[in-house]
Amino acid sequence: MAFQPIVDVETETVFAYEALVRGPEGQSAASVLGQVDAANLYAFDQQCRVRAIEASVKAGLLDTPARLSINFLPNAVYSPAACIQLTLKTAGAVGMPTDRLIFEFTENEEMLDPAHVANIIATYQKMGFGTALDDFGAGHAGLNLLARFQPDIIKLDMELIRDIDTSLPRRMIVEGMLRMCAGLGISVIAEGSRPRASTTLCGRWACGTSRGICWRNRRSRPCRR
């Protein structure tokens, strides 16, 4: 398990760490996910949650104000209330406050039942967890997802952010998304690690004035102050 910092560009502090799956010898996420199928999907999703919480606490996350962002697979959740029980038990055992947890899912995973995903989001939000939609703008459904449900955070796909400081179309598209999210009360994370693009986003659209923009650094590392 690796932890990727998500930096608040206004305060220049780590807002959260995203837990990223790795193999026992440091193998990539792709090599691990390639071994997941319908038969082990639920068990894999559950163990990733447990490992992320335990490893982050061991790495010192609770000594910081940062939150922990955990990827989950909506198609592995048959019942949000039932499937969260092991997560709650693990968090309680290591002293992780539930309001420090964010659950994120990717738009790249085809959602077999969007209404079911909406129920997961609503249930998690009611329980005090943060929710996030990853890779927004790159995968299935796009804006239709936001019409169905509103997560607390969306993470703009890296392709939209790449060269944004020199690309007028990208700037216009992202500006529209920022305004839309501000109106919906959704925070925005820009994926990437380029300081110039970060400055462009923050300076042009005063990103700290509503709910702000965070910047996801591509470098993964253990949680440390």
Side-chain angles (χ1 to χ4, degrees):
M1 190 70 67
F3 296 94
Q4 187 173 60
I6 301 171
V7 178
D8 186 315
V9 295
E10 182 183 18
T11 64
E12 297 185 347
T13 59
V14 176
F15 161 73
Y17 288 93
E18 179 183 357
L20 302 173
V21 67
R22 294 290 184 268
E25 304 300 327
Q27 294 94 330
S28 69
S31 67
V32 176
L33 293 171
Q35 302 175 53
V36 179
D37 55 28
N40 60 20
L41 180 64
Y42 175 76
F44 175 78
D45 182 70
Q46 291 287 301
Q47 287 305 308
C48 282
R49 298 179 186 213
V50 170
R51 177 60 179 160
I53 293 171
E54 292 178 340
S56 69
V57 171
K58 185 176 180 180
L61 181 123
L62 295 182
D63 296 328
T64 80
R67 302 174 74 181
L68 174 65
S69 187
I70 302 173
N71 291 277
F72 78 97
L73 304 171
N75 295 334
V77 179
Y78 63 87
S79 166
C83 294
I84 200 66
Q85 295 307 308
L86 180 59
T87 303
L88 292 172
K89 181 179 179 181
T90 303
V94 297
M96 171 73 77
T98 54
D99 61 3
R100 298 276 295 271
L101 295 175
I102 300 169
F103 288 99
E104 65 175 85
F105 61 99
T106 178
E107 191 187 358
N108 283 327
E109 181 185 10
E110 184 174 6
M111 296 177 192
L112 303 179
D113 185 354
H116 176 59
V117 178
N119 182 44
I120 296 173
I121 296 298
T123 301
Y124 284 4
Q125 290 176 330
K126 187 176 182 179
M127 298 178 75
F129 299 117
T131 58
L133 174 57
D134 197 7
D135 299 318
F136 188 76
H140 298 276
L143 292 174
N144 288 337
L145 289 177
L146 289 186
R148 287 178 173 269
F149 49 79
Q150 293 75 51
D152 300 296
I153 300 166
I154 66 168
K155 300 168 76 172
L156 300 180
D157 184 69
M158 191 179 301
E159 187 60 34
L160 286 173
I161 305 304
R162 183 175 289 117
D163 299 323
I164 194 172
D165 51 315
T166 59
S167 171
L168 178 61
R170 285 181 171 83
R171 290 201 301 273
M172 297 299 293
I173 291 169
V174 172
E175 180 178 6
M177 288 185 173
L178 293 175
R179 288 175 175 168
M180 174 188 66
C181 288
L184 292 171
I186 298 173
S187 296
V188 176
I189 291 174
E191 297 188 348
S193 60
R194 294 185 59 196
R196 181 179 299 177
S198 176
T199 300
T200 297
L201 283 170
C202 225
R204 186 177 177 88
W205 299 301
C207 61
T209 59
S210 56
R211 296 197 63 184
I213 293 179
C214 291
W215 194 260
R216 191 177 80 167
N217 192 312
R218 295 187 65 191
R219 295 181 62 188
S220 303
R221 58 187 181 226
C223 301
R224 299 187 188 279
R225 264 189 293 191

